[in-house]
Amino acid sequence: MDTTPTIPTPADAAPRTSFDRAVWERTLLASDLRRDLRLIGLIFSHYADGSGRLPMDGPQRIETLCALARIDGKRVRVILRELELSGYIRRPNLHTWRNRAAARPIVLTLPAATSRPSPAPGGNG
């Protein structure tokens, strides 16, 4: 039996990303979200890096999204909030965000899985 300790490589120590763009997009498109929310979500997916992140002051700027999606600024703000409340994006808290001149960074996330009902006690599943 080999008891030689293994030395971790930098690749072993690198954080593993759990973001899968195809899964995120399929989940978004299969959702019952309105068309305008799905459109903004797909824009985010297009510009997100491999870990599902949009950098601070990236394409999530209101002016940029208005131009890309052809939706007015007030509506874009509502869409961002709805995507956040639905669990598709995460961003720093507005009240604690210090750099007011820059758009907050966004991370694409999947909504919490809907829980399945538990089997009845004594049932077969």
Side-chain angles (χ1 to χ4, degrees), residues 91-121:
R91 53 192 178 156
N93 185 302
L94 176 63
H95 303 294
T96 59
W97 182 247
R98 295 188 182 269
N99 189 353
R100 298 289 182 178
R104 293 178 283 165
I106 288 178
V107 177
L108 303 183
T109 58
L110 288 172
T114 56
S115 58
R116 290 182 164 178
S118 301

Side-chain angles (χ1 to χ4, degrees), residues 40 61-74 76:
I40 296 295
R61 289 196 64 78
I62 299 300
E63 301 81 18
T64 304
L65 287 174
C66 289
L68 290 171
R70 297 183 182 169
I71 298 174
D72 72 86
K74 184 176 180 180
V76 167

Side-chain angles (χ1 to χ4, degrees), residues 2-116:
D2 185 12
T3 58
T4 307
T6 59
I7 300 170
T9 66
D12 294 331
R16 305 262 190 258
T17 179
S18 61
F19 179 72
D20 183 330
R21 186 180 318 275
V23 169
W24 192 88
E25 289 176 354
R26 277 195 306 271
T27 303
L28 176 75
L29 292 174
S31 74
D32 59 356
L33 293 176
R34 289 188 325 273
R35 182 180 343 179
D36 53 354
L37 277 80
R38 291 192 312 250
L39 172 61
I40 296 295
L42 288 174
I43 290 170
F44 286 164
S45 178
H46 177 75
Y47 286 101
D49 67 14
S51 63
R53 297 180 188 284
L54 294 164
M56 176 179 66
D57 226 21
Q60 68 272 27
R61 289 196 64 78
I62 299 300
E63 301 81 18
T64 304
L65 287 174
C66 289
L68 290 171
R70 297 183 182 169
I71 298 174
D72 72 86
K74 184 176 180 180
R75 186 77 203 129
V76 167
R77 285 179 180 84
V78 170
I79 290 168
L80 290 173
R81 184 70 183 139
E82 289 181 38
L83 284 171
E84 190 172 18
L85 290 173
S86 298
Y88 285 93
I89 66 171
R90 188 178 66 235
R91 53 192 178 156
N93 185 302
L94 176 63
H95 303 294
T96 59
W97 182 247
R98 295 188 182 269
N99 189 353
R100 298 289 182 178
R104 293 178 283 165
I106 288 178
V107 177
L108 303 183
T109 58
L110 288 172
T114 56
S115 58
R116 290 182 164 178

